[in-house]
């Protein structure tokens, strides 16, 4: 043959070169005029198992939730492909057979029966909407569809369609539509739900179930008939599904409102450590608590798993419809009252200053210019440290803090994560009033400390995501207390008096043994209860968001019942995660150097008359027996003059008349204490 193989090679090279040139041109055009990028999706915060807690709209208030096609009901995906684009997985963006069928229908009927658009073409139209459906617009869609097929996999294109498809109003994507119309994820869908979700994007406004229910039902029935003809469902199921009423629009998930606000990240999904069932129960309990407490009352709470310090439930307020409800009250510093007392005693245990069986005096005592009193204005004399903690006695706590050192206590708290707001003196020292709540601290910071108490004394930051929890498990925290001191405190606190209406754990089979502490701030502004049991720590706060007082409302009355209820919920969900009360005596009497707590005592304690008090006498000549505690013998003086001692060995003071007096008592070691009193008598004083 003339020319031979060389001629054939030359002839074949012409179309090959043309194809290469066309490919280069198309690639250049693709780079020059790329398809629009995928739009941003709604931020979504889910619980630990991926269940939606709260979603956030995108621009113009649109709900566009991220969609994973594999998490959508396979029956829906199969029906969508069958009805919308049978050759989706085989074509390259444009289906010539579907286009030919659409053109043939147009010619034969004179109207558009089938649009011929593939899912890829519909996705291109959603990414780049055009006001008019013209032939030119259709050609651009076809080009864009081919570009999308070059750039993305079929799974990615399907994901984009399922994320962007319109479902009426401000709803975009199958996940947003499933939540809005059915109130659940699209992972499991009924035939009527599948049919409606396929029908709505074809005419989203004309078929909106909330505005045009008859049109929605009719379009759904047509889709059910097509599904039946395609063999996707039986005739009976199609008939039953067609009888369902049109759904009404529902609210999007709005659990863990405040926590989700902090966790949300633009354009993506964040899986939190929260447990949706526990979160729901906690929100319900606090809403009930606040409703019963009064219209201006708020409440907040945290549940923390000691394993990784995962936050399992977080309620920032009892309701956004109540005053201050939009504020995350778990992050607002408030006075803790007596909630932090366990850690004062724990440091004393660490320092070898005392043990739970050490005896300490609960008597009137003045510390420089600070004169603490017990909540009930009574004193109990000699008690053990354990009893002082269980009954929240103030004077022993202040005395122990005086020995431990207020600044050391604050430093330990700070290193553990409790960054308290503290008023300081001119010398820069913290005052002893911090033992009774004279500082500001948040519920989150208290949760860190009580979680440390239950975890052998090691403090770690709260974890809100699995990544943070994993970092906690692999890292090392701050040693707030030694393991022995922490375990001792837990055992002591487990035996605190049960709240009103509750049987003690030692008398109730299977009841959780809760090591708890309550707190009431000055002026009844804040009521607290914090506790730990097994693998969980819980903190509850009740009060008013504006800090106004609630006279008579204590932590024991207002917050402790909710704390016990929350532990009951936890025990039902995770029985193995809650501890039981240990057997044996709670406290053994201390002996040796720890038998009595004397450290921090700068002199004898005056019992009567207390400093700054008014003393009433019937008239001149009335005698008063003076009382003090200290190293005997004790000697009393009035302005340097020794006072008489009666036959019983009691010092006796006989004021000369009304007026101001100064009395001094000196113990066997030469240490002294002074009291200044005013004597009042009938008549002018």
């Amino acid at each position: 043959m003339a020319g031979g193989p060389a001629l054939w090679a030359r002839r074949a090279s012409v179309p090959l070169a043309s194809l290469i040139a066309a490919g280069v041109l198309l690639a250049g055009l693709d780079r020059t005029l790329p398809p629009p990028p995928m739009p941003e999706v709604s931020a979504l915060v889910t619980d630990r198992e991926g269940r939606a807690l709260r979603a956030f709209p995108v621009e113009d208030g649109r709900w566009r939730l991220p969609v994973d096609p594999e998490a959508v009901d396979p029956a829906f995906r199969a029906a969508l492909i069958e009805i919308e684009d049978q050759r989706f997985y085989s074509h390259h963006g444009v289906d010539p057979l579907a286009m030919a069928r659409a053109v043939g229908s147009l010619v034969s009927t004179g109207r558009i029966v089938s649009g011929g658009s593939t899912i890829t073409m519909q996705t291109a139209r959603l990414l780049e909407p055009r006001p008019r459906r013209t032939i030119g617009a259709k050609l651009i869609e076809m080009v864009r569809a081919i570009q999308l097929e070059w750039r993305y996999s079929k799974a990615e294109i399907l994901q984009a369609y399922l994320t962007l498809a319109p479902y009426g109003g401000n709803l975009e994507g199958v996940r947003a539509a499933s939540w809005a119309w059915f109130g659940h994820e699209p992972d499991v869908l009924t035939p009527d739900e599948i049919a409606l979700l396929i029908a709505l994007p074809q005419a989203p406004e004309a078929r909106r179930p909330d505005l045009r229910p008859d049109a929605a039902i009719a379009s759904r029935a047509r889709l059910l008939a097509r599904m039946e003809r395609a063999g996707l469902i039986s005739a009976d199921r199609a008939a039953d599904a067609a009888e369902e009423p049109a759904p009404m629009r529902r609210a999007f998930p709005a659990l863990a409102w405040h926590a989700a606000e902090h966790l949300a990240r633009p354009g993506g999904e964040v899986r939190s450590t929260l447990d949706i069932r526990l979160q729901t129960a906690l929100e319900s309990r606090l809403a009930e608590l606040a409703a019963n407490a009064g219209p201006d009352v708020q409440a907040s709470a945290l549940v923390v798993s000691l394993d990784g310090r995962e936050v399992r439930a977080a309620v920032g307020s009892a309701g956004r419809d109540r005053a201050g409800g939009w504020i995350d009250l778990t992050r607002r510093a408030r006075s803790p009252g007596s909630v932090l007392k366990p850690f004062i005693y724990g440091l004393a245990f660490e320092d070898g200053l005392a043990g739970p069986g050490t005896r300490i005096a609960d008597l009137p005592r003045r510390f420089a210019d600070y004169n603490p009193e017990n909540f009930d204005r009574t004193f109990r004399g000699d008690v053990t440290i354990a009893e002082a903690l269980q009954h929240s006695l103030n004077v022993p706590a202040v005395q122990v803090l005086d020995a431990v050192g207020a600044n050391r206590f604050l430093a330990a708290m700070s290193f553990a994560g409790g960054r308290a707001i503290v008023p300081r003196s001119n010398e820069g020292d913290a005052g002893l009033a911090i033992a009774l709540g004279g500082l500001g601290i948040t519920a989150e910071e208290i949760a860190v400390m009580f979680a440390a108490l239950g975890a052998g004394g090691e403090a770690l930051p709260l974890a809100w995501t699995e990544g943070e929890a994993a970092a906690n498990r692999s890292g090392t925290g701050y040693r707030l207390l030694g393991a022995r001191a922490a375990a001792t405190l837990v055992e002591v606190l487990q035996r605190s008096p049960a709240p009103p209406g509750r049987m003690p754990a030692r008398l109730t089979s299977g009841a959780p043994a809760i090591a708890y502490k309550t707190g009431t701030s000055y002026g009844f502004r804040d009521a607290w209860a914090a506790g730990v049991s097994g693998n969980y720590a819980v903190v509850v706060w009740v009060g008013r968001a504006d800090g106004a007082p609630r006279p008579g409302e204590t932590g024991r009355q207002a917050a402790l019942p909710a704390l016990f209820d929350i532990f009951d919920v936890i025990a039902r969900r995770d029985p193995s995660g809650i501890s039981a009360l240990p057997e044996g005596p709670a406290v053994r009497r201390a002996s040796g150097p720890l038998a009595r707590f004397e450290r921090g005592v700068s002199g004898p304690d005056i019992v009567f008359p207390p400093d700054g008090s008014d003393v009433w006498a019937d008239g001149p000549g009335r005698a008063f027996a003076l009382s003090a505690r200290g190293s005997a013998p004790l000697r009393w003086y009035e302005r340097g003059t020794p006072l008489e001692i009666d036959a019983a060995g009691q010092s006796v003071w006989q004021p000369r008349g009304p007026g101001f007096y100064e009395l001094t008592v000196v113990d066997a070691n030469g240490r002294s204490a002074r009291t200044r009193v005013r004597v009042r008598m009938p008549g002018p004083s």
Side-chain angles (χ1 to χ4, degrees):
M1 182 179 294
L7 177 60
W8 281 105
R10 287 196 299 273
R11 290 176 177 176
S13 66
V14 174
L16 180 61
S18 299
L19 287 173
I20 293 173
V24 171
L25 177 61
L26 289 174
L29 289 173
D30 179 63
R31 287 194 298 271
T32 305
L33 299 171
M38 297 295 176
E40 184 178 281
V41 295
S42 295
L44 178 68
V45 177
T46 69
D47 84 335
R48 58 191 297 103
E49 295 181 10
R51 294 167 293 202
L53 291 169
R54 184 185 172 192
F56 298 79
V58 291
E59 74 281 354
D60 301 326
R62 295 178 179 273
W63 296 97
R64 188 187 299 137
L65 303 185
V67 177
D68 176 6
E70 294 301 315
V72 177
D73 192 330
F76 169 82
R77 299 201 310 267
L80 176 69
I81 299 300
E82 175 65 29
I83 292 168
E84 290 291 338
D85 191 355
Q86 293 179 354
R87 284 170 290 279
F88 172 70
Y89 288 105
S90 59
H91 65 63
H92 298 289
V94 178
D95 185 353
L97 293 177
M99 293 299 295
R101 184 177 66 248
V103 172
S105 299
L106 176 61
V107 171
S108 62
T109 64
R111 60 189 178 89
I112 298 175
V113 177
S114 173
S117 292
T118 64
I119 287 177
T120 312
M121 290 171 64
Q122 294 179 54
T123 303
R125 185 166 63 247
L126 293 171
L127 287 170
E128 196 175 27
R130 297 184 183 281
R132 298 182 60 191
R133 302 289 300 279
T134 64
I135 294 177
K138 179 69 76 172
L139 290 173
I140 293 174
E141 284 175 17
M142 295 169 66
V143 172
R144 291 301 197 198
I146 295 170
Q147 286 182 293
L148 291 177
E149 294 278 348
W150 285 351
R151 291 168 177 265
Y152 302 106
S153 67
K154 291 290 186 179
E156 290 172 325
I157 292 170
L158 182 61
Q159 180 180 28
Y161 175 80
L162 294 177
T163 303
L164 299 174
Y167 282 93
N170 60 349
L171 301 177
E172 294 184 6
V174 68
R175 196 174 183 188
S178 184
W179 272 111
W181 299 126
F182 315 132
H184 61 76
E185 292 279 6
D187 54 343
V188 178
L189 297 167
T190 59
D192 61 293
E193 292 172 344
I194 291 172
L196 186 61
L197 290 176
I198 295 174
L200 273 175
Q202 298 172 358
E205 294 304 321
R207 299 174 178 178
R208 277 183 60 171
D210 56 340
L211 300 182
R212 298 172 180 82
D214 292 341
I217 291 173
S219 62
R220 184 185 64 188
R222 289 193 293 272
L223 261 295
L224 286 167
R226 291 184 63 182
M227 290 166 62
E228 179 192 344
R229 290 195 297 271
L232 297 173
I233 57 172
S234 66
D236 290 342
R237 293 194 70 189
D240 290 342
E243 296 298 320
E244 291 292 328
M248 295 302 295
R249 179 151 178 175
R250 306 163 193 247
F252 279 89
L255 291 169
W257 184 272
H258 300 92
E261 187 84 37
H262 299 303
L263 288 170
R265 299 292 179 267
E269 184 172 325
V270 175
R271 181 171 291 203
S272 72
T273 59
L274 301 175
D275 180 323
I276 195 170
R277 296 187 184 91
L278 190 56
Q279 179 72 29
T280 302
L282 199 62
E283 291 188 10
S284 176
R285 178 65 182 90
L286 291 196
E288 178 187 8
L289 182 159
N292 293 334
D296 297 324
V297 177
Q298 276 292 356
S300 63
L302 291 164
V303 176
V304 179
S305 167
L306 305 190
D307 177 24
R309 303 302 197 273
E310 296 180 354
V311 180
R312 295 294 179 85
V315 180
S317 73
R320 298 184 303 284
D321 57 338
R322 306 177 72 84
W326 292 88
I327 303 170
D328 186 350
L329 296 168
T330 65
R331 298 188 173 206
R332 286 297 177 100
R334 313 292 294 232
S335 167
S338 298
V339 160
L340 301 179
K341 282 179 181 175
F343 304 98
I344 296 173
Y345 290 111
L347 291 176
F349 297 169
E350 285 283 281
D351 294 347
L353 301 177
T358 299
R359 302 199 70 79
I360 190 170
D362 179 37
L363 293 169
R365 172 109 191 270
R366 191 172 189 86
F367 300 84
D369 58 349
Y370 184 47
N371 189 24
E373 293 182 332
N374 286 328
F375 186 79
D376 57 7
R377 303 292 180 90
T378 62
F379 297 92
R380 291 161 178 78
D382 262 15
V383 295
T384 64
I385 292 286
E387 291 168 339
L389 178 54
Q390 290 163 346
H391 296 279
S392 199
L393 304 181
N394 288 345
V395 175
V398 175
Q399 186 175 340
V400 173
L401 179 61
D402 191 35
V404 168
N407 285 342
R408 177 171 183 269
F409 172 64
L410 286 174
M413 270 206 316
S414 176
F415 286 125
R419 296 171 179 83
I421 301 170
V422 185
R424 295 180 179 270
S425 68
N426 293 334
E427 291 77 24
D429 293 329
L432 296 178
I434 63 174
L436 311 182
L439 50 82
I441 192 169
T442 69
E444 287 190 357
E445 292 164 342
I446 292 173
V448 168
M449 298 182 69
F450 270 82
L453 182 63
E458 183 183 24
L460 289 163
L462 299 183
W464 296 90
T465 65
E466 178 54 39
E468 293 173 350
N472 278 344
R473 293 187 187 99
S474 62
T476 302
Y478 172 75
R479 177 59 62 181
L480 175 61
L481 296 171
R484 184 173 180 180
T488 300
L489 281 173
V490 167
E491 187 171 350
V492 168
L493 292 172
Q494 283 176 332
R495 299 174 187 270
S496 298
R502 284 270 184 168
M503 290 288 287
R506 62 182 177 275
L507 302 179
T508 308
S509 175
I514 304 168
Y516 78 85
K517 185 70 190 74
T518 60
T520 308
S521 69
Y522 177 77
F524 299 97
R525 288 173 169 81
D526 306 281
W528 294 90
V532 62
S533 180
N535 187 45
Y536 293 92
V538 177
V539 178
V540 177
W541 170 88
V542 182
R544 286 182 44 152
D546 61 2
R550 301 174 60 232
E553 294 295 331
T554 65
R556 182 172 179 79
Q557 295 168 329
L560 188 59
L563 181 88
F564 272 66
D565 289 347
I566 292 166
F567 272 112
D568 285 345
V569 173
I570 296 170
R572 289 193 292 270
R573 287 191 49 73
D574 184 11
S576 63
I578 299 297
S579 62
L581 194 69
E583 298 181 359
V587 177
R588 294 177 176 83
R589 180 181 293 273
S591 59
L594 297 185
R596 286 207 69 82
F597 188 87
E598 299 288 357
R599 295 162 184 81
V601 177
S602 58
D605 288 325
I606 295 176
V607 178
F608 181 84
D611 190 39
S613 62
D614 285 358
V615 177
W616 285 87
D618 299 335
R622 166 67 189 275
F624 295 91
L626 304 176
S627 176
R629 179 183 170 277
S631 301
L634 297 173
R635 302 290 297 177
W636 284 86
Y637 301 85
E638 181 196 338
R639 296 286 182 181
T641 302
L643 299 180
E644 295 182 1
I645 298 177
D646 63 14
Q650 185 79 38
S651 293
V652 178
W653 170 49
Q654 195 171 30
R656 297 175 298 279
F660 293 92
Y661 293 82
E662 181 178 284
L663 304 175
T664 303
V665 62
V666 181
D667 68 10
N669 298 314
R671 297 176 300 185
S672 65
R674 185 174 300 171
T675 181
R676 298 172 180 83
V677 299
R678 181 180 185 181
V679 175
R680 293 181 178 271
M681 294 183 181
S685 331

